[in-house]
Amino acid sequence: MAKYKYPHHMIQSDVTAFDKDWMPGQITLNAGIYRCRTCGDEIVVGRRQQIPTAHHEHAVLGPVVWQLLVFAQEHPK
């Protein structure tokens, strides 16, 4: 589970970006921490980067499916 120390840097949100399932090889829309729904492993993926295809496998547990857990907010320039 992702941890943080300074709650004043975090905002709880219900945006739909957190509801999408991501498969290995897909290109992300948000930079952030992604959590495997099957095993709980977490990875960091940059914005518009590919979800790793060779990160890990779990033949017994089921397919590797990632969910956005925390995303990095970019400020308009």
Side-chain angles (χ1 to χ4, degrees):
M1 181 173 297
K3 297 177 174 123
Y4 63 93
K5 183 173 183 176
Y6 302 106
H8 59 276
H9 292 296
M10 305 292 279
I11 298 171
Q12 186 174 8
S13 174
D14 62 355
V15 297
T16 58
F18 295 113
D19 301 328
K20 179 176 173 38
D21 287 343
W22 294 88
M23 306 308 286
Q26 287 187 301
I27 305 298
T28 66
L29 300 176
N30 297 96
I33 300 170
Y34 289 78
R35 181 178 186 275
C36 180
R37 285 183 176 265
T38 307
C39 72
D41 234 5
E42 296 167 358
I43 58 172
V44 174
V45 182
R47 183 176 180 220
R48 297 189 184 126
Q49 300 297 310
Q50 185 180 49
I51 297 281
T53 56
H55 176 68
H56 72 275
E57 298 177 8
H58 20 72
V60 176
L61 298 175
V64 177
V65 179
W66 298 98
Q67 178 183 25
L68 181 62
L69 187 62
V70 176
F71 75 80
Q73 181 70 47
E74 290 188 26
H75 295 285
K77 298 177 170 113

